Amino acid sequence: MNDARSLVLQNIINARAFTEASCPIPFSVYAGEEDWVVSAASARSSFPDAAALPGNHFTILSSERTFSTLKQLLRSAADSEPPQTTAVSAGLTTRGTAATAEQSKLAAAAEQGRAAVADADVKKAARVLDALPPQAGWLRVVRNPEILPIHYDKVTVKFDAACIELRTERETTADFLDQGLHTAFSAMTEALDALESFMDGSMFGPDDHRPWRDLTEHPPSRQRDLPLLAEARLHFSERYQAMMNLLNASGLLPAEASKATDQGGQR
């Protein structure tokens, strides 16, 4: 919701020009005066000139004032001049050759913006792949819910390091600028957090007499959690695969990584 609201504010309400990604459109926001589900402050959010109408979360649609307000807004829109697609420079509307030149500048700026977005996402994708490389054997073991026991030195330590690296990535660097990549990355890291809770000492040993942690040889109370562990591993594997597929479709996955990720959870 925050991402969607930011896009509306940036590319519609606060837009100053017509581009491929932005268009200034009149926007009206109203909160319910008696709405105890969504507060007025939350409904108004960052929208300028937001107001309130009688009613609660449901009855606001049947308020007479809602219909009169909507009718007034529609009439105002019908009576107003249609928006011009000419470029604006220094507050003056330009036409003809000047407008064409300004539109060319806007197109060039938009292209530079897209290049900057791509460059930022390329760097972030590289950091994600460095933490969770598709060709890593330890990651394929983690993703396969049928593999037990999990070797402590060879798998769990590297998994812990990857969790720390991705947690730092989320806390210290910007999100993917591409919304699809951002959504996929968020889903993958949420699944990773859930799996991490199973991969710590609360479920797996440690067993001092050997170098691995084996859930299957623990008391029945822990063995009952085996299906939850398998589900968490499978959930992470699916979200990871979706992330890799999207990186591949976006041209951000190296060829060798693309071959490795196709093998999925194979050991």
Side-chain angles (χ1 to χ4, degrees):
M1 290 298 294
N2 287 333
D3 292 340
R5 181 166 53 244
S6 297
L7 287 173
V8 171
L9 287 168
Q10 178 180 350
N11 297 330
I12 297 178
I13 295 176
N14 297 321
R16 294 293 179 267
F18 293 88
T19 69
E20 290 185 356
S22 65
C23 180
I25 301 172
F27 215 91
S28 300
V29 173
Y30 294 89
E33 292 177 347
E34 296 87 26
D35 192 342
W36 299 108
V37 178
V38 179
S39 67
S42 177
R44 290 168 176 168
S45 184
S46 302
F47 295 105
D49 304 322
L53 290 169
N56 58 32
H57 202 67
F58 305 99
T59 62
I60 187 173
L61 293 178
S62 57
S63 166
E64 184 176 344
R65 222 174 91 198
T66 298
F67 286 101
S68 62
T69 301
L70 178 59
K71 182 166 65 175
Q72 179 183 354
L73 291 171
L74 290 172
R75 283 180 173 174
S76 177
D79 294 340
S80 63
E81 289 293 326
Q84 301 296 318
T85 56
T86 54
V88 177
S89 177
L92 299 177
T93 301
T94 58
R95 299 182 182 277
T97 303
T100 302
E102 189 66 21
Q103 289 172 348
S104 298
K105 291 180 181 179
L106 288 172
E111 186 62 33
Q112 290 177 354
R114 285 191 292 271
V117 168
D119 183 61
D121 282 354
V122 166
K123 293 178 180 178
K124 188 172 183 70
R127 294 192 295 270
V128 172
L129 292 171
D130 184 62
L132 295 173
Q135 65 271 24
W138 68 266
L139 182 58
R140 291 197 292 274
V141 171
V142 167
R143 293 176 59 192
N144 191 332
E146 297 180 0
I147 297 178
L148 281 172
I150 297 178
H151 197 282
Y152 181 74
D153 290 333
K154 293 182 179 179
V155 175
T156 315
V157 171
K158 292 181 180 180
F159 175 81
D160 291 341
C163 290
I164 294 173
E165 189 172 347
L166 284 176
R167 189 177 298 112
T168 302
E169 174 71 24
R170 283 179 286 175
E171 294 173 352
T172 60
T173 63
D175 295 326
F176 276 105
L177 298 177
D178 179 88
Q179 287 300 307
L181 289 171
H182 169 65
T183 300
F185 178 70
S186 298
M188 183 193 73
T189 52
E190 287 177 6
L192 185 71
D193 290 340
L195 179 57
E196 185 182 14
S197 68
F198 286 100
M199 300 288 283
D200 61 16
S202 64
M203 282 190 64
F204 287 89
D207 299 318
D208 295 331
H209 62 283
R210 57 184 180 176
W212 62 74
R213 299 171 174 185
D214 186 359
L215 179 64
T216 58
E217 295 186 10
H218 281 294
S221 60
R222 287 188 175 178
Q223 293 185 32
R224 285 196 297 267
D225 289 330
L226 273 174
L228 296 177
L229 172 64
E231 182 179 351
R233 292 170 75 176
L234 182 60
H235 185 65
F236 165 68
S237 181
E238 291 172 346
R239 297 300 181 271
Y240 178 81
Q241 188 68 43
M243 182 72 197
M244 295 302 107
N245 289 344
L246 192 54
L247 287 176
N248 191 36
S250 303
L252 301 179
L253 193 66
E256 61 274 13
S258 178
K259 294 178 181 178
T261 193
D262 285 341
Q263 298 174 3
Q266 300 299 318
R267 188 171 186 180

